[in-house]
Amino acid sequence: MSDGLELNGRRALVTGGTQGIGEAVVARLREAGARVLTTARATPAGLADADLFVAADVATAEGCSIVAEAVLARLGGVDIIVHVVGGSSAPAGGFAVLDDDQWHRALDLNLFPAVRLDRALLPTMLDHGAGVIIHITSIQRQLPLPDATIAYAAAKAALSNYSKGLSKEVSPKGIRVVRVSPGWVETEAAARLITELAKNAGTDFEGARQSLMNSLGGIPIGRPARPEEVADLVAFLASPRAASITGTEYVIDGGTVPTA
């Protein structure tokens, strides 16, 4: 299928592609005609094509090696890499409760998968003189929430800096590197969080949802972004229609982060 994005036959890797933003990106790229291999730690129920899925923990060097080997063996190379995997499981309580393990976990999940997979797969892109790498960062890289996600925010800032540096090195060789920086995206996991917040606060879903938006300083459009909206942006940036775009970051946050 083609929708004008000229992605028919393109080979893509999307990390963290079984839920949330990653699942939406996989679906959108496939809709546009790309052959997409994705990965997660556990095999999802009802997997349609086992050859296009790899169960691996990309927060480890071993997991990244497994994924890279599968990409080369099953796709014969890659044209598009979208690094979606990331997140935070740190406890609330600010900097004092974050020990070395928490900091290492944040970096292992939010920075090193991109570094390792890029290092493993970029040579095939360079051999062809073409390719696109998209790093999913976060508005928290510039708007950190210190109570619980300061390590996550710092790791995303490191990812953004690495992405910019990589773009300067490989863009002259035909490889575009772009960052997409979502704000709050209303995934199924986010909906579960809102339900839990509502229960703990003794309020309803909409009240907890609004309270969470308020904690971010408000979202001018009045709602979080949707996974499909992020996926649409990613698909465009991965396509030849964005051929002159590299080294930059696209914020999709409903206006949460004030512009300078």
Side-chain angles (χ1 to χ4, degrees):
M1 180 178 179
S2 176
D3 55 7
L5 291 179
E6 302 175 49
L7 292 177
N8 276 326
R10 298 297 174 95
R11 302 160 299 175
L13 167 67
V14 178
T15 64
T18 60
Q19 57 185 342
I21 293 172
E23 183 179 22
V25 169
V26 169
R28 185 68 185 89
L29 292 179
R30 286 177 176 167
E31 180 185 23
R35 188 161 187 248
V36 184
L37 185 148
T38 191
T39 179
R41 286 178 296 179
T43 303
L47 185 64
D49 189 343
D51 194 50
L52 293 176
F53 176 81
V54 180
D57 183 1
V58 295
T60 68
E62 180 184 11
C64 288
S65 294
I66 290 170
V67 172
E69 289 169 7
V71 168
L72 298 176
R74 301 181 196 181
L75 300 181
V78 68
D79 305 300
I80 300 163
I81 304 173
V82 186
H83 295 288
V84 181
V85 72
S88 174
S89 59
F95 82 95
V97 303
L98 300 180
D99 59 17
D100 282 2
D101 287 342
Q102 294 287 350
W103 277 96
H104 281 299
R105 190 172 297 119
L107 291 166
D108 284 341
L109 184 57
N110 295 286
L111 173 63
F112 285 117
V115 172
R116 289 167 175 152
L117 286 167
D118 289 348
R119 188 169 57 214
L121 296 173
L122 252 171
T124 64
M125 288 182 166
L126 291 169
D127 286 344
H128 288 89
V132 184
I133 297 173
I134 298 175
H135 297 112
I136 305 298
T137 59
S138 168
I139 62 169
Q140 287 201 44
R141 77 165 186 84
Q142 61 192 110
L143 189 70
L145 302 176
D147 183 56
T149 60
I150 190 169
Y152 165 82
K156 287 296 190 181
L159 176 62
S160 181
N161 184 276
Y162 156 73
S163 181
K164 180 63 175 178
L166 184 66
S167 75
K168 288 181 173 291
E169 179 179 357
V170 301
S171 291
K173 302 172 184 177
I175 316 301
R176 296 192 295 110
V177 183
V178 188
R179 290 158 284 159
V180 171
S181 180
W184 178 27
V185 180
E186 198 160 28
T187 61
E188 291 182 4
R192 290 194 295 271
L193 171 63
I194 296 169
T195 299
E196 185 66 23
L197 290 173
K199 179 181 177 182
N200 293 339
T203 186
D204 59 10
F205 185 91
E206 286 303 320
R209 185 173 183 265
Q210 185 61 52
S211 178
L212 189 51
M213 286 193 286
N214 292 343
S215 73
L216 297 171
I219 301 178
I221 66 169
R223 63 166 179 83
R226 302 185 180 100
E228 295 77 15
E229 293 169 333
V230 181
D232 281 337
L233 175 59
V234 168
F236 168 73
L237 292 171
S239 78
R241 294 174 65 181
S244 64
I245 296 175
T246 190
T248 192
E249 181 177 64
Y250 284 81
V251 176
I252 178 167
D253 69 347
T256 302
V257 177
T259 57

